[in-house]
Amino acid sequence: MVNGQSIIYHAEQEILKLPAKLDYKLVLLENHEDNIILRDGKVEKMLRATSLSLAINLYLDGRDGFFYTNDLRPESVSTFIREAFETTRLLEPDETRTLADPDRYYKGGGPDLQNFDASLSEIAPKEKIQLLQETASEVEGTDKRIISMQTRYADRQHQAHYLISNGFDGHEQSSYCTLTSIISVEGEGGQHPMDGWGESRLFFHQMPRRGVAPTALKRTLQKIGQRPALSGRYRMILESPCAGNFLQPLLAAMNGQALQQRTSFLAGKLGQQVVSPIVNILDDPLIPGTRGASLFDYDGVATQRRELFTEGRLMTYFIDTPMSKKLGMAPTTQGTHHLIMEQGAKSKEELMADSSRAILVTDFNGGNCDPVTGNFSYGIEGFLIENGIITQPVSGMNITGNMLDVWQRLSQTCNDADPWETELIPTLAFEDVAFSGC
Amino acid sequence: MISKKTLSNSPLKREETKPQVSPLRGDLVGSVVAAALSGGSDYADIFIENTRISSMVLQDSAVSQAQQVCLYGAGIRAVQGAETGYAYTMDLSEEALMKAARSLTPAVSPAPSKGGRLQDPAKVNGGTALSWQFTSPLEGTGEAIQSLPPAQVRQLLLQVEEKAHALDASVIKVKAYVSQRMQEVQFAGSDGTAFHDFRPRTSLSVSIVMERGGQTQMGYATRMMQMGAEFFTDALMEEVVSEAIQRTDFLFTASQIEGGEMPVVMAAGSSGILLHEAIGHAFEADFIRTGDSIFTGQLGKQICNPSISIVDDGTLPNDAGMLRFDDEGIPGQRTVLVENGRLNSFLYDRISAKHFGVEPTGNGRRESFRCTPIPRMRSTYMLPGEAKEEDIIRSVKRGIYAQSFTNGQVQIGAGDFTFFMKTGYLIEDGKLTRPLRDLNIIGNGPEALRRISMVGDNLRIDHSASMCGKEGQKVAVSQGLPTVLIDKLIVG
């Protein structure tokens, strides 16, 4: 169990002493993190820390206050809770702001999620530094154009203990490690192209020992000579690592708060085909050994496998308890945990070879999407593809359009989603997308 | 500029901020810093923070949500050259601080010229006895920083909603948010630097949803200043609510256009995002030290039109980027980045300044005690020129007048930057014509600077709530610009 459990029970006792009967949610968070940066063979920065903090929701006759502190000295917690109560009392009642129905709480019996590396905080920093050195050594001295190389290792153990007054007492834990290499090289015209590559795992022993830095170097060198291509309409091949970003405006528009505030372009579209019929996306938090796996959400509500889009139809919104009451809709969940998009059979390379005129988008550079209309404009970089072959690295271009329109233009999905991510989105092909360049 | 007049005839009461952290004892500082140095580092410091953030939200015509956050802890750093060992703790007992400090010793390589364990905690700077005198910039000024009590914040939020509905009948939703943050900082470095400061930061955000003829639009406006309760004035509320409504109203008639390369006139004020993204980040000296920035090796060179001078300023009173001391004890100052078109200075923290043998410029900032300080911007703006805005617009045959923005970013090495224009106009034959919205504008930093051909006389610093992100750390900044003409950028 979480260290410092006495803190959460001390906080509960302090709440019970308050001069009114309240409902409450207490979450004690414990995180251990290691962050090490290696540059030019030396440790440039090293951080190792453990943190404890307490999140408190107080519910007083429809009044809901949220409070967070990492000053966990008993007398400080007592004072903090008394002040929190005084603030909560000042709020106006909103009968929708209550705890979740206890019938929906996770009640045990779920699978072992196999997503916590208990040894992570015990592994000596020198082992992690050695991993960094092995990674960096794969490319050190291999190319004179390298200006700088930063190799970064980060890990995190997360544990949380929940205590909710209407009948939930739960504990969750997870961990992950990431290894990233970022390289800059001498480019053309004084430019210093920079790119990187990273891999994430749940357990330290799963970390790849080879390939991260060479991939980063390859991606960086490919960027030399970037320039805008001609404005026009192209097939857009959106590479897997950044394809997930393009889904975010759709997920944001499924949020109950956006619906209730009338700021969602997906309002009133439940059950309708809103994106290409080849889109099948589900959220499955219950697959052991995956990132994002969780038996219950932040409200203590049991998670479940949930279809988001089926053959392009919108299957659900993200509705929490308050939004359920405001909107008169059944509650679902607060958001996604481990999102999986159905993949196709082709590799990215096969898709590129099949493209007569396309732009492979490898990263976004700024931009935004209007939440009400779905109109977007994003900066991009990547490669121009002509007759199946990469002919030019591109940057300094924008794509512009509307989210619902562009997702209807999705024509193909590849087979290359990274299984270690929280969102498994493969490389995607969208037809006839407006690019602006030179 | 925002009026500083306080709410007229208001019965508002203010709550005075009192120190929450026990003053650091000189001997404890000495012991902690000496322990951090004991592995042979050439510099060490301790940063203690006690931050309180309280916020309230008005939504659906009721103030029914509130938040309070307390961040409390200390970060201890040992530096040897460019190598940094860092540890933080939320336990400020002597035992915990010493444990954190001692944990740093394996993180940095021993300095060849030093080595050995320093025995006398008071002698941590080459054996010189030090006495830490904590400078408290606010002490003796009579300026007690006060926050607005929750009951008054609630009253103010209800006034915001009332004003919004009074200004436009098509307003259907108002969401308003007030945040009051007070960061108390104590800092001591092994070179004898020490300060104790209170940093207030208060913001108001208003988001409006309007409906007309079955069409819905949303817009917002924000303000953020380093002020206490005096932030809240009638004029400020009026200004923010009106701006949010005007921006929302504008969206009903605005549209996107087919993009391409064209001249862009950047309106005075929030267009300072151009400087922040196009050059500001690439001037941060950690990127110069590693050679990653496209401006590496350009110091002293002419990089743009001699009519252009750009500064990064930590001295603007009450500005979100103002720093009496930065987060590594360097006094707040104004740094001229570009003087008459010549690259005059980068933005240095202690590590990069030592690397280049220059003085730090007071740009070492951190989000909290959990983070190491790195070079960051404060308030970045261009000094005014001589052109009139109407003449600048009149000089454009076909282009864009960019008026308000939501976000931007830059690729340091290539110099490619973008910023997202929320509202603006098409310029045709020297006149503003079609209202435009939601266009990403993209360019290359050094090129964009070279392509600035006219600089207006109307510098305005924008005080919207701007948070800048770098290496996972967010800090408050501001920016400003007079109206300028950039001959060519790629528009969404």
Side-chain angles (χ1 to χ4, degrees), chain A residues 69 93 107 162 166-167 173 183 187 223 241 262 273 297 302 339 350 356 365 385 408 410-411:
Chain A
T69 181
K107 297 187 172 60
Y162 290 69
N166 65 344
Q173 56 188 20
I183 297 175
K223 291 171 77 168
R262 311 271 303 268
Q273 195 203 315
D297 67 13
L339 193 141
E350 287 169 329
S356 59
N365 188 11
I385 296 168
Q408 288 283 6
L410 179 73
S411 60

PDB file of all heavy atoms in Angstrom, chain A residues 69 93 107 162 166-167 173 183 187 223 241 262 273 297 302 339 350 356 365 385 408 410-411:
ATOM      1  N   THR A  69      -2.733  19.672  -1.676  1.00  0.00           N
ATOM      2  CA  THR A  69      -1.579  20.152  -0.907  1.00  0.00           C
ATOM      3  C   THR A  69      -0.478  19.098  -0.854  1.00  0.00           C
ATOM      4  O   THR A  69      -0.768  17.900  -0.848  1.00  0.00           O
ATOM      5  CB  THR A  69      -1.988  20.546   0.533  1.00  0.00           C
ATOM      6  OG1 THR A  69      -0.825  21.028   1.226  1.00  0.00           O
ATOM      7  CG2 THR A  69      -2.575  19.366   1.303  1.00  0.00           C
ATOM      8  N   PRO A  93     -24.954  26.341  -4.095  1.00  0.00           N
ATOM      9  CA  PRO A  93     -25.271  24.931  -4.297  1.00  0.00           C
ATOM     10  C   PRO A  93     -25.521  24.616  -5.767  1.00  0.00           C
ATOM     11  O   PRO A  93     -26.095  25.418  -6.491  1.00  0.00           O
ATOM     12  CB  PRO A  93     -26.567  24.731  -3.486  1.00  0.00           C
ATOM     13  CG  PRO A  93     -26.676  25.910  -2.610  1.00  0.00           C
ATOM     14  CD  PRO A  93     -25.945  27.029  -3.272  1.00  0.00           C
ATOM     15  N   LYS A 107     -15.496  -2.857  -7.450  1.00  0.00           N
ATOM     16  CA  LYS A 107     -15.706  -3.632  -6.226  1.00  0.00           C
ATOM     17  C   LYS A 107     -14.751  -4.810  -6.125  1.00  0.00           C
ATOM     18  O   LYS A 107     -14.994  -5.761  -5.381  1.00  0.00           O
ATOM     19  CB  LYS A 107     -17.154  -4.102  -6.156  1.00  0.00           C
ATOM     20  CG  LYS A 107     -18.124  -2.920  -6.073  1.00  0.00           C
ATOM     21  CD  LYS A 107     -19.532  -3.317  -5.831  1.00  0.00           C
ATOM     22  CE  LYS A 107     -20.410  -2.086  -5.572  1.00  0.00           C
ATOM     23  NZ  LYS A 107     -20.426  -1.124  -6.677  1.00  0.00           N
ATOM     24  N   TYR A 162      -7.279   5.842  -2.662  1.00  0.00           N
ATOM     25  CA  TYR A 162      -8.541   6.577  -2.702  1.00  0.00           C
ATOM     26  C   TYR A 162      -9.380   6.237  -1.476  1.00  0.00           C
ATOM     27  O   TYR A 162      -9.482   5.073  -1.090  1.00  0.00           O
ATOM     28  CB  TYR A 162      -9.364   6.170  -3.940  1.00  0.00           C
ATOM     29  CG  TYR A 162      -8.813   6.631  -5.258  1.00  0.00           C
ATOM     30  CD1 TYR A 162      -7.629   6.092  -5.777  1.00  0.00           C
ATOM     31  CD2 TYR A 162      -9.489   7.575  -6.021  1.00  0.00           C
ATOM     32  CE1 TYR A 162      -7.143   6.502  -6.998  1.00  0.00           C
ATOM     33  CE2 TYR A 162      -9.003   7.988  -7.249  1.00  0.00           C
ATOM     34  CZ  TYR A 162      -7.833   7.455  -7.735  1.00  0.00           C
ATOM     35  OH  TYR A 162      -7.342   7.857  -8.944  1.00  0.00           O
ATOM     36  N   ASN A 166     -18.788   7.750   0.373  1.00  0.00           N
ATOM     37  CA  ASN A 166     -19.982   6.919   0.176  1.00  0.00           C
ATOM     38  C   ASN A 166     -19.627   5.492  -0.245  1.00  0.00           C
ATOM     39  O   ASN A 166     -20.405   4.798  -0.884  1.00  0.00           O
ATOM     40  CB  ASN A 166     -20.953   7.555  -0.821  1.00  0.00           C
ATOM     41  CG  ASN A 166     -20.381   7.647  -2.219  1.00  0.00           C
ATOM     42  OD1 ASN A 166     -19.165   7.512  -2.406  1.00  0.00           O
ATOM     43  ND2 ASN A 166     -21.239   7.893  -3.202  1.00  0.00           N
ATOM     44  N   GLY A 167     -18.418   5.061   0.131  1.00  0.00           N
ATOM     45  CA  GLY A 167     -18.177   3.627   0.033  1.00  0.00           C
ATOM     46  C   GLY A 167     -17.119   3.155  -0.938  1.00  0.00           C
ATOM     47  O   GLY A 167     -17.277   2.096  -1.556  1.00  0.00           O
ATOM     48  N   GLN A 173      -1.809   1.542  -8.921  1.00  0.00           N
ATOM     49  CA  GLN A 173      -0.388   1.797  -9.132  1.00  0.00           C
ATOM     50  C   GLN A 173      -0.037   1.543 -10.593  1.00  0.00           C
ATOM     51  O   GLN A 173      -0.685   0.743 -11.279  1.00  0.00           O
ATOM     52  CB  GLN A 173       0.462   0.910  -8.222  1.00  0.00           C
ATOM     53  CG  GLN A 173       0.183  -0.567  -8.365  1.00  0.00           C
ATOM     54  CD  GLN A 173       0.902  -1.403  -7.308  1.00  0.00           C
ATOM     55  OE1 GLN A 173       1.306  -0.876  -6.274  1.00  0.00           O
ATOM     56  NE2 GLN A 173       1.066  -2.680  -7.563  1.00  0.00           N
ATOM     57  N   ILE A 183      18.737  14.808 -31.364  1.00  0.00           N
ATOM     58  CA  ILE A 183      19.994  15.117 -32.056  1.00  0.00           C
ATOM     59  C   ILE A 183      19.807  16.334 -32.955  1.00  0.00           C
ATOM     60  O   ILE A 183      18.782  16.458 -33.639  1.00  0.00           O
ATOM     61  CB  ILE A 183      20.447  13.895 -32.894  1.00  0.00           C
ATOM     62  CG1 ILE A 183      20.730  12.713 -31.949  1.00  0.00           C
ATOM     63  CG2 ILE A 183      21.680  14.221 -33.735  1.00  0.00           C
ATOM     64  CD1 ILE A 183      21.056  11.415 -32.654  1.00  0.00           C
ATOM     65  N   GLY A 187      22.820  21.725 -40.927  1.00  0.00           N
ATOM     66  CA  GLY A 187      21.966  21.607 -42.104  1.00  0.00           C
ATOM     67  C   GLY A 187      22.404  22.555 -43.191  1.00  0.00           C
ATOM     68  O   GLY A 187      23.582  22.935 -43.265  1.00  0.00           O
ATOM     69  N   LYS A 223      15.950  15.368 -42.367  1.00  0.00           N
ATOM     70  CA  LYS A 223      15.331  16.699 -42.394  1.00  0.00           C
ATOM     71  C   LYS A 223      16.209  17.755 -43.071  1.00  0.00           C
ATOM     72  O   LYS A 223      15.764  18.881 -43.293  1.00  0.00           O
ATOM     73  CB  LYS A 223      15.014  17.152 -40.961  1.00  0.00           C
ATOM     74  CG  LYS A 223      13.904  16.336 -40.331  1.00  0.00           C
ATOM     75  CD  LYS A 223      13.723  16.635 -38.856  1.00  0.00           C
ATOM     76  CE  LYS A 223      12.999  17.923 -38.614  1.00  0.00           C
ATOM     77  NZ  LYS A 223      12.578  18.049 -37.203  1.00  0.00           N
ATOM     78  N   PRO A 241       3.446   8.106 -34.853  1.00  0.00           N
ATOM     79  CA  PRO A 241       3.664   8.793 -33.586  1.00  0.00           C
ATOM     80  C   PRO A 241       2.878  10.089 -33.430  1.00  0.00           C
ATOM     81  O   PRO A 241       2.566  10.474 -32.315  1.00  0.00           O
ATOM     82  CB  PRO A 241       5.180   9.071 -33.592  1.00  0.00           C
ATOM     83  CG  PRO A 241       5.752   8.062 -34.506  1.00  0.00           C
ATOM     84  CD  PRO A 241       4.711   7.850 -35.570  1.00  0.00           C
ATOM     85  N   ARG A 262     -22.133  23.952 -24.746  1.00  0.00           N
ATOM     86  CA  ARG A 262     -22.458  24.237 -26.153  1.00  0.00           C
ATOM     87  C   ARG A 262     -21.206  24.584 -26.957  1.00  0.00           C
ATOM     88  O   ARG A 262     -21.241  25.428 -27.856  1.00  0.00           O
ATOM     89  CB  ARG A 262     -23.488  25.389 -26.237  1.00  0.00           C
ATOM     90  CG  ARG A 262     -24.703  25.214 -25.320  1.00  0.00           C
ATOM     91  CD  ARG A 262     -25.811  24.466 -25.981  1.00  0.00           C
ATOM     92  NE  ARG A 262     -26.249  25.104 -27.210  1.00  0.00           N
ATOM     93  CZ  ARG A 262     -27.241  26.008 -27.275  1.00  0.00           C
ATOM     94  NH1 ARG A 262     -27.863  26.369 -26.156  1.00  0.00           N
ATOM     95  NH2 ARG A 262     -27.625  26.508 -28.420  1.00  0.00           N
ATOM     96  N   GLN A 273     -22.931   8.643 -38.269  1.00  0.00           N
ATOM     97  CA  GLN A 273     -21.618   8.433 -38.863  1.00  0.00           C
ATOM     98  C   GLN A 273     -20.956   9.796 -39.027  1.00  0.00           C
ATOM     99  O   GLN A 273     -21.365  10.619 -39.831  1.00  0.00           O
ATOM    100  CB  GLN A 273     -21.728   7.738 -40.210  1.00  0.00           C
ATOM    101  CG  GLN A 273     -20.357   7.200 -40.634  1.00  0.00           C
ATOM    102  CD  GLN A 273     -20.219   7.002 -42.103  1.00  0.00           C
ATOM    103  OE1 GLN A 273     -21.131   6.468 -42.721  1.00  0.00           O
ATOM    104  NE2 GLN A 273     -19.100   7.430 -42.653  1.00  0.00           N
ATOM    105  N   ASP A 297     -11.707   4.693 -12.496  1.00  0.00           N
ATOM    106  CA  ASP A 297     -11.287   6.041 -12.887  1.00  0.00           C
ATOM    107  C   ASP A 297     -11.120   6.918 -11.647  1.00  0.00           C
ATOM    108  O   ASP A 297     -11.222   6.439 -10.507  1.00  0.00           O
ATOM    109  CB  ASP A 297     -12.239   6.642 -13.918  1.00  0.00           C
ATOM    110  CG  ASP A 297     -13.633   6.912 -13.364  1.00  0.00           C
ATOM    111  OD1 ASP A 297     -13.811   6.878 -12.122  1.00  0.00           O
ATOM    112  OD2 ASP A 297     -14.548   7.163 -14.172  1.00  0.00           O
ATOM    113  N   ALA A 302     -15.840   1.843 -11.799  1.00  0.00           N
ATOM    114  CA  ALA A 302     -15.195   0.720 -12.492  1.00  0.00           C
ATOM    115  C   ALA A 302     -15.067   1.020 -13.980  1.00  0.00           C
ATOM    116  O   ALA A 302     -16.023   1.489 -14.612  1.00  0.00           O
ATOM    117  CB  ALA A 302     -16.016  -0.547 -12.283  1.00  0.00           C
ATOM    118  N   LEU A 339      -6.450   3.567 -25.542  1.00  0.00           N
ATOM    119  CA  LEU A 339      -7.265   3.710 -26.747  1.00  0.00           C
ATOM    120  C   LEU A 339      -6.664   2.896 -27.899  1.00  0.00           C
ATOM    121  O   LEU A 339      -5.454   2.950 -28.126  1.00  0.00           O
ATOM    122  CB  LEU A 339      -7.297   5.206 -27.073  1.00  0.00           C
ATOM    123  CG  LEU A 339      -8.280   5.709 -28.073  1.00  0.00           C
ATOM    124  CD1 LEU A 339      -8.813   7.055 -27.580  1.00  0.00           C
ATOM    125  CD2 LEU A 339      -7.580   5.898 -29.382  1.00  0.00           C
ATOM    126  N   GLU A 350       4.624   0.639 -47.557  1.00  0.00           N
ATOM    127  CA  GLU A 350       3.759   0.195 -48.669  1.00  0.00           C
ATOM    128  C   GLU A 350       2.777   1.297 -49.053  1.00  0.00           C
ATOM    129  O   GLU A 350       2.508   1.533 -50.235  1.00  0.00           O
ATOM    130  CB  GLU A 350       2.995  -1.075 -48.266  1.00  0.00           C
ATOM    131  CG  GLU A 350       3.887  -2.309 -48.214  1.00  0.00           C
ATOM    132  CD  GLU A 350       3.201  -3.502 -47.572  1.00  0.00           C
ATOM    133  OE1 GLU A 350       2.354  -3.317 -46.682  1.00  0.00           O
ATOM    134  OE2 GLU A 350       3.547  -4.632 -47.946  1.00  0.00           O
ATOM    135  N   SER A 356       0.922   8.500 -55.370  1.00  0.00           N
ATOM    136  CA  SER A 356       1.529   9.214 -56.493  1.00  0.00           C
ATOM    137  C   SER A 356       1.893  10.645 -56.108  1.00  0.00           C
ATOM    138  O   SER A 356       2.903  11.189 -56.547  1.00  0.00           O
ATOM    139  CB  SER A 356       0.584   9.221 -57.691  1.00  0.00           C
ATOM    140  OG  SER A 356      -0.636   9.836 -57.327  1.00  0.00           O
ATOM    141  N   ASN A 365       3.641  21.379 -36.160  1.00  0.00           N
ATOM    142  CA  ASN A 365       4.342  22.545 -35.642  1.00  0.00           C
ATOM    143  C   ASN A 365       3.306  23.639 -35.389  1.00  0.00           C
ATOM    144  O   ASN A 365       2.984  24.428 -36.264  1.00  0.00           O
ATOM    145  CB  ASN A 365       5.411  23.013 -36.637  1.00  0.00           C
ATOM    146  CG  ASN A 365       6.297  24.107 -36.055  1.00  0.00           C
ATOM    147  OD1 ASN A 365       6.250  24.381 -34.858  1.00  0.00           O
ATOM    148  ND2 ASN A 365       7.102  24.729 -36.899  1.00  0.00           N
ATOM    149  N   ILE A 385       6.094  13.245 -51.288  1.00  0.00           N
ATOM    150  CA  ILE A 385       6.199  11.951 -51.975  1.00  0.00           C
ATOM    151  C   ILE A 385       5.630  12.114 -53.375  1.00  0.00           C
ATOM    152  O   ILE A 385       4.503  12.595 -53.540  1.00  0.00           O
ATOM    153  CB  ILE A 385       5.407  10.861 -51.216  1.00  0.00           C
ATOM    154  CG1 ILE A 385       6.021  10.649 -49.831  1.00  0.00           C
ATOM    155  CG2 ILE A 385       5.382   9.551 -51.998  1.00  0.00           C
ATOM    156  CD1 ILE A 385       5.164   9.830 -48.901  1.00  0.00           C
ATOM    157  N   GLN A 408     -13.626  12.339 -42.512  1.00  0.00           N
ATOM    158  CA  GLN A 408     -14.398  11.590 -43.518  1.00  0.00           C
ATOM    159  C   GLN A 408     -13.491  11.188 -44.677  1.00  0.00           C
ATOM    160  O   GLN A 408     -13.800  10.268 -45.430  1.00  0.00           O
ATOM    161  CB  GLN A 408     -15.549  12.448 -44.067  1.00  0.00           C
ATOM    162  CG  GLN A 408     -16.702  12.668 -43.093  1.00  0.00           C
ATOM    163  CD  GLN A 408     -17.622  11.462 -42.947  1.00  0.00           C
ATOM    164  OE1 GLN A 408     -17.356  10.384 -43.492  1.00  0.00           O
ATOM    165  NE2 GLN A 408     -18.695  11.630 -42.188  1.00  0.00           N
ATOM    166  N   LEU A 410     -10.525   9.999 -44.424  1.00  0.00           N
ATOM    167  CA  LEU A 410      -9.585   8.927 -44.067  1.00  0.00           C
ATOM    168  C   LEU A 410      -9.842   7.719 -44.965  1.00  0.00           C
ATOM    169  O   LEU A 410     -10.961   7.203 -45.026  1.00  0.00           O
ATOM    170  CB  LEU A 410      -9.769   8.523 -42.596  1.00  0.00           C
ATOM    171  CG  LEU A 410      -8.856   7.400 -42.124  1.00  0.00           C
ATOM    172  CD1 LEU A 410      -7.422   7.888 -41.962  1.00  0.00           C
ATOM    173  CD2 LEU A 410      -9.351   6.819 -40.801  1.00  0.00           C
ATOM    174  N   SER A 411      -8.803   7.287 -45.664  1.00  0.00           N
ATOM    175  CA  SER A 411      -9.005   6.204 -46.637  1.00  0.00           C
ATOM    176  C   SER A 411      -8.302   4.907 -46.241  1.00  0.00           C
ATOM    177  O   SER A 411      -8.748   3.825 -46.637  1.00  0.00           O
ATOM    178  CB  SER A 411      -8.495   6.649 -48.015  1.00  0.00           C
ATOM    179  OG  SER A 411      -7.109   6.951 -47.927  1.00  0.00           O
TER     180      SER A 411
END
